[in-house]
Amino acid sequence: MSTGSLRLAILISGRGSNMLAIARACAAGTIAARVVVVISDRGDAAGLTHARELGLETAIIAAAPRDPTTLERPLTGLIEDHGADALALAGFMRILPAPFVERHLGRMLNIHPSLLPAYRGLNTHRRVLEAHEAEHGASVHFVTPELDAGPIVLQSRVAVLAGDSEATLSARVQATEHIIYPRVLAWLAAGRLAWRDGSAWFDGRRLERPMVEDFRAARA
Ligand code: GRF
């Protein structure tokens, strides 16, 4: 894989399509980073197989359901063993212990399938359809102890189309996730994106509001 200087750990729980997009961007040199480990809390995550196929190192962490504190020790051990200096949550379905999050402030990003602060939490596509929203999207944000509430860096905006199902809408949003997440990580690796005083900074300026990439014209 790529030999970029940032050492990136990616955390997954499932399919791992964002992990793949990030790993490929690292391999292509688009992100000046190296994926040092892909960590899953589930041994049956399909993303683990994809990661191994790419030649990436993988690890499975065992933690008790609904008890974030049990993640602290195994996760910290893996991060230290692999010398990871940044973390990308990519469909990682566990709540992280607050002390772990505090220690990694500014070095941990997440992608959430909604236009945050709207639709935090689960089942975002279904809730957006039920609310008859005209727009939806995804948000890449720094991770802070409050769930889905850290400073947002970049959002993708997509149209909700007449006749959309949860499947068609989530596919449209996911296609944009694979563009915006690697882009934000490339900025982090290049030093263009930084964390200071509890805010996201881009090119030396505090981000007063998220950057937005508009995909509404792309009707796929
Ligand atoms: C993505 O939709 C992401 O927004 C959310 O979880 C999903 C993960 O998908 N956090 P994948 O495992 O990357 O395919």
Side-chain angles (χ1 to χ4, degrees), residues 8-22:
L8 188 63
I10 307 180
L11 277 67
I12 64 168
S13 297
R15 186 174 43 169
S17 68
N18 279 285
M19 176 276 298
L20 273 181
I22 294 163

Side-chain angles (χ1 to χ4, degrees), residues 111-176:
I111 186 149
H112 180 79
S114 80
L115 292 170
L116 290 172
Y119 300 100
R120 291 183 189 173
L122 298 174
N123 303 314
T124 59
H125 309 301
R126 186 189 317 157
R127 288 155 60 208
V128 161
L129 286 171
E130 283 168 1
H132 303 287
E133 300 279 7
E135 290 178 5
H136 187 29
S139 306
V140 180
H141 65 93
F142 279 111
V143 177
T144 57
E146 193 183 346
L147 196 64
D148 301 333
I152 304 161
V153 179
L154 178 63
Q155 296 183 312
S156 59
R157 186 178 291 166
V158 308
V160 180
L161 303 180
D164 257 340
S165 63
E166 232 179 297
T168 59
L169 184 56
S170 73
R172 189 174 313 114
V173 171
Q174 278 233 325
T176 70

Side-chain angles (χ1 to χ4, degrees), residues 5-214:
S5 52
L6 188 78
R7 296 175 65 85
L8 188 63
I10 307 180
L11 277 67
I12 64 168
S13 297
R15 186 174 43 169
S17 68
N18 279 285
M19 176 276 298
L20 273 181
I22 294 163
R24 287 185 178 131
C26 290
T30 320
I31 304 174
R34 201 179 115 163
V35 179
V36 291
V37 64
V38 174
I39 301 168
S40 174
D41 63 317
R42 297 181 55 123
D44 61 353
L48 285 174
T49 310
H50 302 318
R52 290 184 197 119
E53 282 165 3
L54 283 184
L56 297 173
E57 196 157 327
T58 60
I60 299 160
I61 34 169
R66 287 181 291 281
D67 183 0
T69 60
T70 59
L71 284 170
E72 174 76 60
R73 200 189 276 255
L75 212 44
T76 301
L78 279 168
I79 304 299
E80 284 174 2
D81 288 351
H82 290 87
D85 37 39
L87 282 73
L89 308 185
F92 186 65
M93 299 304 286
R94 304 290 299 248
I95 293 178
L96 291 166
F100 181 89
V101 176
E102 294 283 0
R103 284 203 314 280
H104 295 87
L105 277 179
R107 296 186 290 130
M108 181 155 56
L109 289 155
N110 180 44
I111 186 149
H112 180 79
S114 80
L115 292 170
L116 290 172
Y119 300 100
R120 291 183 189 173
L122 298 174
N123 303 314
T124 59
H125 309 301
R126 186 189 317 157
R127 288 155 60 208
V128 161
L129 286 171
E130 283 168 1
H132 303 287
E133 300 279 7
E135 290 178 5
H136 187 29
S139 306
V140 180
H141 65 93
F142 279 111
V143 177
T144 57
E146 193 183 346
L147 196 64
D148 301 333
I152 304 161
V153 179
L154 178 63
Q155 296 183 312
S156 59
R157 186 178 291 166
V158 308
V160 180
L161 303 180
D164 257 340
S165 63
E166 232 179 297
T168 59
L169 184 56
S170 73
R172 189 174 313 114
V173 171
Q174 278 233 325
T176 70
E177 293 181 358
H178 303 158
I179 297 168
I180 64 168
Y181 207 0
R183 184 165 303 162
V184 171
L185 288 164
W187 291 336
L188 186 75
R192 296 184 67 186
L193 175 67
W195 167 272
R196 210 184 317 151
D197 307 329
S199 297
W201 293 64
F202 185 67
D203 283 346
R205 274 196 291 267
R206 189 196 300 265
L207 274 180
E208 302 298 342
R209 62 189 66 80
M211 294 181 273
V212 178
E213 181 148 352
D214 195 343

